[in-house]
Amino acid sequence: MTLPQPLTARRRVGRLVVHAIQAGGVKLDGGAMFGVVPKPLWERRIAADERNRIQMGMRCLLIEHEAGLVLVDSGAGNKEDPKFYDIYGIENAASDGRTQLEAGLAAAGFRPEDVSIVVNTHLHFDHAGGNTYRDATGAVRLTFPNARYVVQAGEFHYATHVNERTAGSYFPPNFVPVSEAGRFDFVDGEREIVPGIRLLPTPGHTPHHQSVLIDGGGERACYFADLVPTAAHLPLPWIMGYDVEPLVTLETKRRILRRALDEDWLGIFEHDAAVTWGRVALERKTYALAPAE
């Protein structure tokens, strides 16, 4: 399986232009991705390979805002070894040696230096790995040298105080250099970081996970991140085994998807290889993707 094309998409959310940039493919165990949902159910929606992995993406969001370019999440980056990339099926290199995130930024007409704000929904390696990069000398440097990086303070504490359950997802080179450079802006709870871009605490996957609500005036869109990683995860009990607090995820999904339905949000799916965005519908008492506009 390979990540389907196209790798970038563009649309307006009210007055704001947003670019969905596929930062590469990733393959994770289907059973882990769907938790207690039996395989005969989930494989109807996303087929597994011979290693029981399902094809997903790492979709970042670039928002053109009058306050500057805002990037939400940064993919896996370039710092890990070939064995790691094989285990997780990560394909994030463009043909010219850049990462796919860098190539996607260029396709939208921008460079890493143009980004003003980087929002990390959380600090797992597939969401924050592109915060930094390893240069030809082996040194780790900030990918977005002119940006402030924004994350929940509790998430940074959680990432820097790991245990046996969480250590495999948090890699210090992805975020410690940002902290050492004094480039993190830590927030606590819900916060509007610039007019129309609001951070929403959506705990469960991690205790301090956040989603991003975009209000462009006349339309709203929500980047769900790992609260609803793919469109297949819209039903309330379809929750990842990776979530450290699955029952908290359940209540968060109940609250957020009710709002998405009532307020007609456009949902943006970070890990869905095929579905970039869509509306939430209620079908036979369960949440689902509405028919395409």
Side-chain angles (χ1 to χ4, degrees):
M1 292 182 292
T2 58
L3 194 66
Q5 301 291 331
L7 299 182
T8 61
R10 176 185 183 276
R11 68 169 292 159
R12 299 193 72 91
V13 177
R15 74 180 190 283
L16 299 174
V17 175
V18 300
H19 304 264
I21 299 175
Q22 193 58 272
V26 60
K27 297 176 183 177
L28 297 180
D29 183 84
M33 280 301 300
F34 289 101
V36 300
V37 178
K39 184 176 181 179
L41 295 182
W42 61 253
E43 70 178 350
R44 295 176 188 171
R45 303 190 181 203
I46 307 179
D49 67 10
E50 68 282 356
R51 295 160 68 177
N52 205 49
R53 304 175 305 175
I54 61 171
Q55 178 67 66
M56 303 190 304
M58 295 179 287
R59 183 174 289 107
C60 306
L61 197 69
L62 184 70
I63 307 166
E64 295 185 38
H65 193 279
E66 52 267 26
L69 289 178
V70 179
L71 177 69
V72 186
D73 280 353
S74 61
N78 75 338
K79 299 184 295 297
E80 308 310 322
D81 61 29
K83 180 179 179 181
F84 176 85
Y85 291 131
D86 176 67
I87 290 171
Y88 293 103
I90 293 175
E91 301 171 331
N92 67 342
S95 58
D96 58 5
R98 296 178 296 178
T99 64
Q100 286 192 11
L101 176 56
E102 292 173 306
L105 286 170
F110 304 107
R111 306 168 302 155
E113 293 83 356
D114 299 327
V115 175
S116 297
I117 299 172
V118 177
V119 174
N120 289 136
T121 60
H122 58 302
L123 294 172
H124 284 175
F125 67 81
D126 54 331
H127 296 256
N131 285 354
T132 61
Y133 71 98
R134 195 177 304 279
D135 70 15
T137 71
V140 175
R141 304 187 182 279
L142 302 192
T143 304
F144 307 98
N146 299 316
R148 304 294 302 180
Y149 292 68
V150 183
V151 72
Q152 290 286 326
E155 175 67 12
F156 184 80
H157 179 83
Y158 193 71
T160 52
H161 294 77
V162 295
N163 56 37
E164 294 84 354
R165 171 69 167 75
T166 62
S169 297
Y170 289 113
F171 301 167
N174 294 337
F175 45 82
V176 169
V178 181
S179 178
E180 291 176 342
R183 304 303 288 273
F184 264 130
D185 289 337
F186 297 116
V187 298
D188 185 11
E190 186 169 333
R191 173 78 62 85
E192 186 176 58
I193 54 171
V194 294
I197 300 180
R198 181 173 294 273
L199 307 180
L200 299 179
T202 49
H205 181 62
T206 73
H208 303 280
H209 180 277
Q210 62 184 357
S211 301
V212 181
L213 182 62
I214 304 156
D215 187 344
E219 185 177 24
R220 289 181 174 181
C222 186
Y223 185 88
F224 293 125
D226 273 350
L227 176 67
V228 188
T230 75
H233 287 84
L234 282 167
L236 291 179
W238 291 51
I239 293 169
M240 291 188 287
Y242 296 113
D243 287 18
V244 296
E245 299 175 318
L247 294 182
V248 174
T249 300
L250 177 64
E251 294 309 314
T252 302
K253 286 180 71 175
R254 195 188 310 277
R255 171 173 54 86
I256 292 296
L257 293 180
R258 184 74 250 179
R259 283 192 66 186
L261 183 67
D262 290 347
E263 300 176 19
D264 194 30
W265 293 354
L266 178 73
I268 303 171
F269 303 100
E270 183 164 11
H271 281 309
D272 201 307
V275 179
T276 302
W277 35 45
R279 307 285 176 184
V280 176
L282 194 61
E283 296 181 358
R284 296 187 294 275
K285 298 183 179 181
T286 191
Y287 290 106
L289 189 67
E293 297 174 359

